[in-house]
Amino acid sequence: MDDNRNDENRTGENRTDGNRAEENRTDGNRPDGNRAEQNRADKDRKDRTDENLTDEKRAGEDRTDKAPAEPEPAEPAPAEAAPAQETREDDTQDAEHTAQEHPADDQQRPADDQEHSAEDATEPSPRPRSRKRWILRLLAVVLALLLLPLLTAAAALRLNYTGDPAPGTHTRHKDALWLGHAWVDGRKTDRDVEALARRLRGTGIRDLYVHSGPLEHDGTLPASAYPKARWLTAAVHRELPGVRVQAWLGDVLASEGPTGLRLERPATRAAILDSTRAVLAAGFEGAHFDLEPLHSGDRHYLGLLDDLRELTHARGAVLSVAAHQIDPLPAFHSFWGTTTGHPKWWSQAYFAQVARRVDQIAVMSYDTMQPLQSLYGGYVAQQTSLALEVTPKSTDLLMGLPFYHENRFGHWAHAETVPAAVRGVRLGLSRTDADRADFGVALYVDFAATEDDWTAYRRDWVRTP
């Protein structure tokens, strides 16, 4: 449609220009007398030309109404300017053709610029993303720092459980057994003592720690707490000659709470001494203390042990204690106490200070938080070695065996087993002091033990069927 309109414009231009040339030539040859007539003819021809141009313009307007708006054609130029006009029209056609082939170039460019401007204005700053990545990386580093020591410790414990125990690392007949309160409060009879004797004959058990407390928070102990003490000691001596019966005394310390026994008070320590005199007078052959939670470095406890040792030795009795575990890593009790408020472990140096003040020290080598038998056994082997290194030869060292099956935080029954504990004890003994005579195991506790526990103890430690 555009090409036809351009052709018409060019045709009209050429036709008009030709008439004008002809007129010029005619005027140049026409006599002056005919000029009036000629002027009238020119006027008529001009009117017809204007009418033709008007008709063409109307036709062009009609076509413009039906077609998209385009630039109106330029007015005809003189003949001499026609080539330039045609050139401009050709340039216009080329531009229109280019615009038709690439309509999005001119129209899309401003829109794209607007979109980019909008994105630049609305796109979030990369800083939050960078900060989030930085935080995630920091957390990963912290987690790695926390997990690496644990994984390293676990690998060390597993390695500590490997190898074979040395020959002869079995009972030295200085083992012990913790007994419940029923043995002194009237619930047990002679028949129970006879059954206990059958259970213990042929084993290495020499001491019985019979629960006779607990102490009151002020250190006192009413005689009503152990009414059958004298009967029990006599019955055990009859059925099991050579086995000693000790009073197991203990209480919760006020070291991590508002209530409990306060060893820093002189009156409390004096009351504990009086309670010890009373149980020895009732027939017990020793006093066994289990005070928890006892923090490493407690000097009041050491002072109490000095006084108790003097008292018991003056009466020919035995002084024994249940001891906390030793730091598996240097100063671990300080780290654990800071993070949890419960130090749990003793330093090896403090363990040595306690061991020098007593006749027997029994390590509570259970409630270890180990999830696997191999890790638990490796842990017991480590504890055995650590304790052997600092316990004097004059003190009996006993390692605790878990004769109970609770499942709670810190203790998994499937991991803390008697076979794993005995193997760990033998491995630690083999590596540190295989020939030590004053050494044994302590079984906790009689009323929770199973036949499998007793079988494992006899088979793996006593070496009897």
Side-chain angles (χ1 to χ4, degrees):
M1 181 180 298
D2 295 336
D3 294 338
N4 293 335
R5 188 169 66 251
N6 292 333
D7 291 341
E8 289 174 357
N9 292 337
R10 286 194 293 271
T11 301
E13 292 170 357
N14 294 336
R15 183 170 62 249
T16 304
D17 294 341
N19 293 338
R20 290 176 178 171
E22 183 64 27
E23 289 170 358
N24 292 336
R25 287 194 298 272
T26 302
D27 291 341
N29 296 328
R30 186 177 293 112
D32 294 338
N34 295 330
R35 286 181 179 176
E37 185 177 355
Q38 182 64 38
N39 290 337
R40 286 193 297 270
D42 291 340
K43 184 178 184 301
D44 293 338
R45 200 163 38 248
K46 185 176 183 302
D47 293 339
R48 286 193 300 270
T49 299
D50 293 338
E51 290 176 0
N52 291 337
L53 291 174
T54 302
D55 293 339
E56 289 176 359
K57 183 177 180 180
R58 289 172 180 172
E61 291 174 353
D62 293 339
R63 286 192 296 270
T64 301
D65 295 338
K66 298 177 182 180
E70 295 183 0
E72 294 184 1
E75 293 182 1
E80 293 79 7
Q85 178 67 26
E86 290 177 2
T87 301
R88 286 195 299 271
E89 289 176 355
D90 291 340
D91 294 340
T92 302
Q93 290 178 1
D94 292 339
E96 291 174 354
H97 181 68
T98 302
Q100 290 176 0
E101 289 183 351
H102 306 285
D105 290 344
D106 294 334
Q107 297 176 2
Q108 187 69 25
R109 188 174 297 112
D112 290 343
D113 292 341
Q114 293 176 0
E115 290 180 3
H116 288 306
S117 298
E119 290 176 359
D120 292 341
T122 59
E123 184 177 359
S125 173
R127 289 182 179 179
R129 296 180 182 176
S130 300
R131 186 179 297 109
K132 183 178 180 180
R133 286 194 296 268
W134 182 85
I135 293 174
L136 291 176
R137 290 173 182 172
L138 179 61
L139 291 176
V141 171
V142 172
L143 184 61
L145 292 175
L146 292 176
L147 289 179
L148 183 60
L150 294 178
L151 294 176
T152 303
L157 292 180
R158 182 62 185 87
L159 183 63
N160 213 29
Y161 196 59
T162 59
D164 296 321
T169 51
H170 304 297
T171 185
R172 273 79 165 137
H173 301 285
K174 294 188 176 182
D175 303 333
L177 170 65
W178 278 284
L179 295 176
H181 199 81
W183 291 96
V184 292
D185 66 1
R187 285 177 285 173
K188 296 293 186 179
T189 65
D190 287 339
R191 302 182 70 177
D192 294 311
V193 176
E194 293 170 2
L196 178 64
R198 288 192 297 270
R199 171 77 72 185
L200 300 185
R201 287 192 185 104
T203 68
I205 294 178
R206 184 184 63 171
D207 287 281
L208 301 177
Y209 304 141
V210 185
H211 191 268
S212 305
L215 296 169
E216 299 295 331
H217 289 342
D218 61 359
T220 60
L221 179 65
S224 59
Y226 48 94
K228 303 284 288 184
R230 194 171 295 279
W231 162 81
L232 176 63
T233 55
V236 168
H237 290 162
R238 182 179 65 249
E239 300 294 336
L240 293 168
V243 173
R244 296 180 298 197
V245 183
Q246 300 187 43
W248 170 14
L249 306 177
D251 191 20
V252 175
L253 296 178
S255 55
E256 297 177 9
T259 60
L261 196 69
R262 296 185 179 276
L263 294 179
E264 67 273 16
R265 295 176 178 174
T268 300
R269 297 197 301 272
I272 293 174
L273 291 174
D274 289 340
S275 299
T276 304
R277 292 187 185 93
V279 295
L280 295 178
F284 286 109
E285 299 167 272
H288 176 79
F289 286 90
D290 177 18
L291 303 175
E292 304 180 48
L294 183 61
H295 293 180
S296 181
D298 191 322
R299 60 184 181 85
H300 301 294
Y301 181 61
L302 297 179
L304 175 64
L305 292 180
D306 288 334
D307 294 338
L308 287 171
R309 182 184 179 91
E310 182 180 351
L311 171 64
T312 54
H313 284 193
R315 287 164 173 74
V318 179
L319 175 62
S320 62
V321 296
H324 288 18
Q325 298 159 30
I326 303 173
D327 280 335
L329 298 171
F332 194 68
H333 71 280
S334 298
F335 165 77
W336 196 260
T338 302
T339 55
T340 68
H342 174 53
K344 182 178 174 66
W345 291 270
W346 287 352
S347 70
Q348 191 180 36
Y350 187 70
F351 186 95
Q353 290 178 310
V354 174
R356 288 196 297 268
R357 288 169 166 81
V358 298
D359 300 306
Q360 292 179 333
I361 184 167
V363 183
M364 295 181 286
S365 45
Y366 35 77
D367 293 346
T368 64
M369 298 183 288
Q370 300 303 318
L372 301 174
Q373 285 194 59
S374 58
L375 299 183
Y376 172 64
Y379 183 89
V380 172
Q382 182 199 41
Q383 289 292 309
T384 302
S385 294
L386 292 173
L388 283 168
E389 290 172 357
V390 295
T391 302
K393 298 292 185 180
S394 58
T395 301
D396 293 343
L397 173 63
L398 293 84
M399 302 301 299
L401 303 185
F403 269 48
Y404 65 104
H405 303 273
E406 299 176 1
N407 284 294
R408 50 181 169 75
F409 177 76
H411 180 87
W412 284 274
H414 69 274
E416 296 193 8
T417 65
V418 174
V422 170
R423 176 176 169 78
V425 168
R426 295 186 63 203
L427 287 170
L429 184 62
S430 301
R431 294 165 182 162
T432 311
D433 193 356
D435 297 326
R436 183 181 176 106
D438 298 326
F439 185 87
V441 296
L443 321 179
Y444 180 86
V445 59
D446 73 307
F447 55 80
T450 65
E451 286 299 326
D452 288 341
D453 296 332
W454 285 106
T455 298
Y457 163 69
R458 283 179 173 272
R459 180 191 65 230
D460 299 337
W461 180 245
V462 182
R463 289 300 178 97
T464 61

